[in-house]
Amino acid sequence: MTDLSPDGGALSPPPSTLSRQRLARGSSAQSALSQPFSGQMLLTLQIASRRAHLAELETGMIAACEAAALGTRSRTSATIERKHWGRTTWHRYLAAAMRLEATYGPRMRRLRREIGQLERLQTLLTAS
């Protein structure tokens, strides 16, 4: 059966399974050398990406908790004011944190789990 390309020309048939297996075995060392990133570098990039996303989620959750704790008051120096927060403000902050856990918690736990898995994989790759 001949497949047609988008411009109407004929495409060559895909290689057989045996041919693909031979190509994969024979070129594995070659393909590893031609890859622009090493496995170690890819893992490092994946870990950094997940850490950045986790930091964004944490920042978002903290901002939402501060907004709930401070209400309509000015939030220009909220982090500096924390040492001056009263018991009521802290209760509002913690109540917001407990309420927002359902929104932020699962994603944050998943990212932490993935970071741990990638770090273990990176350690194994380094050790071998």
Side-chain angles (χ1 to χ4, degrees):
M1 175 177 182
T2 303
D3 293 324
L4 296 177
S5 67
D7 63 353
L11 293 174
S12 59
S16 71
T17 305
L18 277 177
S19 300
R20 279 184 277 181
Q21 288 174 348
R22 277 192 218 116
L23 283 173
R25 269 189 261 126
S27 65
S28 62
Q30 204 173 32
S31 67
L33 293 175
S34 66
Q35 295 296 323
F37 295 111
S38 68
Q40 188 75 21
M41 185 177 285
L42 284 173
L43 287 173
T44 301
L45 290 171
Q46 289 293 318
I47 291 168
S49 171
R50 282 169 174 77
R51 283 186 178 150
H53 190 207
L54 179 61
E56 288 172 11
L57 288 173
E58 289 171 344
T59 301
M61 184 172 178
I62 289 168
C65 290
E66 286 178 349
L70 298 173
T72 58
R73 291 191 310 186
S74 172
R75 289 180 215 109
T76 56
S77 59
T79 54
I80 295 171
E81 293 178 15
R82 281 186 184 179
K83 62 183 172 187
H84 301 294
W85 284 6
R87 182 178 221 112
T88 306
T89 306
W90 278 112
H91 281 287
R92 285 193 303 260
Y93 183 92
L94 294 174
M98 288 188 295
R99 191 173 54 252
L100 291 170
E101 197 284 329
T103 304
Y104 288 91
R107 290 183 286 168
M108 292 168 73
R109 283 189 295 277
R110 180 184 50 83
L111 285 168
R112 285 190 188 109
R113 187 174 51 250
E114 289 174 1
I115 290 168
Q117 291 168 343
L118 289 168
E119 287 174 338
R120 285 189 296 279
L121 186 58
Q122 192 174 39
T123 302
L124 289 171
L125 188 62
T126 304
S128 62

